[in-house]
Amino acid sequence: MVESRTSQSWEQAQGSEDGVSPPKVLIIFVHPDPQQSIANHALLEFSRMLANVTVHDLYASYPDFFIDVEKERALLAAHDVIVFQHPLYMYSCPALLKEWLDRVLGKDYAHGEGSALAGKYWRSIITTGGSADAYSATGYNRYDIDSILRPFELIAALCQMVWIPPMVVHWARRLPQQELEHHALRYRQWLCRPDLVSTEEVNDGR
């Protein structure tokens, strides 16, 4: 299912008077059981109402894992910033996103002889079940989160995309409601920024 909110203009959505149009953002949301994800629900609740944002739920669209590659590539072509929002599964991503990456970002389309995504922006929005302290050289997972997410950064580079530092929400199921709302607000504020493609440190200060 693809959800797009175009009922309000950028100026209406943000209360801006300068008429600056933000980049078009495609949020590729990937969670096999989204109803059980309190954190991802909170993160998406605000973003769905933004005029420049399209939310694309992969598991709702492809429960059988048969991905419409041409449809996906058309969506990518229509947006400037591609956000991959998903939980961290086994130090990687849910299975359907791995299938999507293999099928959609194929050789001679996004890399090799092709460069269809060159210059577009990639940002990963990640939820984890562990604390931030667990993701360190001395923590339970032995590596920091940037090292664990390095394969995604390499895919972005392979496709000549610009990597924006990821936003990571740790301890997703255990966060107090107020802190979760804070993360959701920061996410919305980033999506609302005319300069949201800035590669400066824009995450939540993890």
Side-chain angles (χ1 to χ4, degrees), residues 81 119-123 153 156 161-166 190 193-203:
V81 181
K120 292 184 183 290
Y121 294 80
W122 174 313
R123 193 179 192 198
E153 185 176 356
M161 299 176 71
V162 180
W163 176 260
I164 298 176
W190 173 69
R193 284 171 44 177
D195 64 339
L196 65 85
V197 297
S198 170
T199 57
E200 297 176 0
E201 190 66 21
V202 291
N203 60 32

Side-chain angles (χ1 to χ4, degrees), residues 38-50:
I38 297 172
N40 278 290
H41 176 77
L43 291 173
L44 287 177
E45 183 178 9
F46 290 136
S47 62
R48 291 181 188 277
M49 297 306 297
L50 300 176

Side-chain angles (χ1 to χ4, degrees), residues 47-113:
S47 62
R48 291 181 188 277
M49 297 306 297
L50 300 176
N52 63 311
V53 175
T54 299
V55 178
H56 181 30
D57 185 334
L58 280 194
Y59 273 96
S61 298
Y62 305 113
D64 54 7
F65 275 57
F66 288 104
I67 295 171
D68 185 336
V69 173
E70 294 308 314
K71 176 183 175 182
E72 296 303 304
R73 290 177 176 177
L75 274 173
L76 293 173
H79 294 82
D80 309 301
V81 181
I82 314 302
V83 171
F84 295 90
Q85 181 177 333
H86 60 88
L88 193 68
Y89 273 19
M90 295 299 288
Y91 307 108
S92 185
C93 59
L96 182 55
L97 180 53
K98 181 59 170 66
E99 177 73 3
W100 187 97
L101 293 170
D102 290 342
R103 295 287 310 283
V104 177
L105 304 186
K107 187 176 181 181
D108 299 333
Y109 164 73
H111 59 95
E113 297 299 319

